[in-house]
Amino acid sequence: MTRVAILISGSGTNLQAFIDAISQGTLTVEIAVVLSNRPDAYGLTRARDANIPTECVQNENYPDRAAFDEAIATTLERYKPDLLILAGFMRILTSTFVKRFEGRILNIHPALLPNFRGLNTHQRAIDAGEKWHGSTVHFVTEELDAGPMILQGRVPVLCEDTESLLSARVQALEHKIYPEAAALFASGRLEFRNGESWLDDSRLDEPIQFNGEN
Ligand code: GRF
């Protein structure tokens, strides 16, 4: 069975979505470890409650990004993961780390990439007067939030939206699309080839659009 490592820094609602999808039988993977860079991340409690091994590697204990990434890579490799899932992991990974796990790292970014890379995406979408917002699962490459896209879901931006209302709508969507993308990888249908996403032996020129049923 595909062994997954989930990297978190905070509340871990996406981690919870993976735990729930596995217990409901819609995702067939084993979460081998949950790793956090913050000891107070609530996601660690979620993992322990689900009897998943946890690791905490605090970035402030390392002199630089390279040393921290070496430490997390070494820790993760003990669990022999086939796939790394970044789920609110608030650290930028070095190119050395990305190359070590090339084609085996997924991230979810709360925006309709390539729009709104970086932080504060919900407020930026509201401020820009966007009619639609959403979230995108993509393979991680060296460039932040720019790896080949896999699956994207959209939600409307409503006139009464605040940052927190819109963020809650996007998160509910994330909890569907992220386990779905991991299931495609675990089944072997989804692959990273030469810097591109491939599904069923066809190159994905556009991300798959989630319609609530796929
Ligand atoms: C998600 O919204 C995801 O898009 C972003 O970080 C957030 C993590 O939330 N990368 P949670 O910790 O899974 O609740």
Side-chain angles (χ1 to χ4, degrees), residues 10-15 87-88 90 107-110 122 135 171 174-175:
S11 119
T13 64
N14 280 283
L15 161 65
M90 300 303 286
N107 183 42
I108 191 160
H109 180 73
H122 309 302
S135 192
Q171 280 229 322
E174 292 190 325
H175 301 158

Side-chain angles (χ1 to χ4, degrees), residues 21-162:
I22 292 166
S23 68
Q24 287 155 14
T26 54
L27 175 62
T28 310
V29 300
E30 178 184 348
I31 305 177
V33 63
V34 170
L35 181 145
S36 173
N37 65 314
R38 299 184 47 134
D40 58 349
Y42 183 65
L44 288 173
T45 303
R46 296 180 192 272
R48 288 186 202 108
D49 288 349
N51 291 315
I52 297 165
T54 59
E55 296 280 355
C56 182
V57 182
Q58 290 180 251
N59 48 287
E60 58 261 38
N61 293 344
Y62 295 85
D64 55 28
R65 215 179 271 285
F68 171 67
D69 278 11
E70 175 64 30
I72 59 173
T74 306
T75 302
L76 290 169
E77 275 171 352
R78 291 211 307 271
Y79 295 89
K80 304 199 180 330
D82 302 301
L83 177 66
L84 308 188
I85 293 288
L86 307 185
F89 186 61
M90 300 303 286
R91 302 294 306 167
I92 295 174
L93 296 165
T94 55
S95 57
T96 307
F97 182 97
V98 171
K99 284 205 188 89
R100 192 155 162 175
F101 296 97
E102 188 178 64
R104 297 191 286 140
I105 316 175
L106 302 187
N107 183 42
I108 191 160
H109 180 73
L112 295 174
L113 288 172
N115 298 336
F116 304 119
R117 292 176 183 161
L119 297 173
N120 302 320
T121 57
H122 309 302
Q123 191 60 53
R124 285 161 64 205
I126 292 171
D127 293 346
E130 297 289 336
K131 290 195 171 62
W132 294 93
H133 185 46
S135 192
T136 309
V137 182
H138 64 94
F139 282 108
V140 171
T141 55
E142 291 165 43
E143 199 184 340
L144 188 67
D145 300 331
M149 294 188 265
I150 299 164
L151 179 59
Q152 189 167 73
R154 55 187 60 219
V155 295
V157 181
L158 307 177
C159 26
E160 66 272 23
D161 262 339
T162 58

Side-chain angles (χ1 to χ4, degrees), residues 175-198:
H175 301 158
K176 295 180 189 152
I177 68 173
Y178 210 1
E180 173 86 27
L184 289 175
F185 185 95
S187 68
R189 295 179 58 196
L190 171 69
E191 284 180 292
F192 178 91
R193 292 186 200 161
N194 298 322
E196 295 169 321
S197 297
W198 287 69

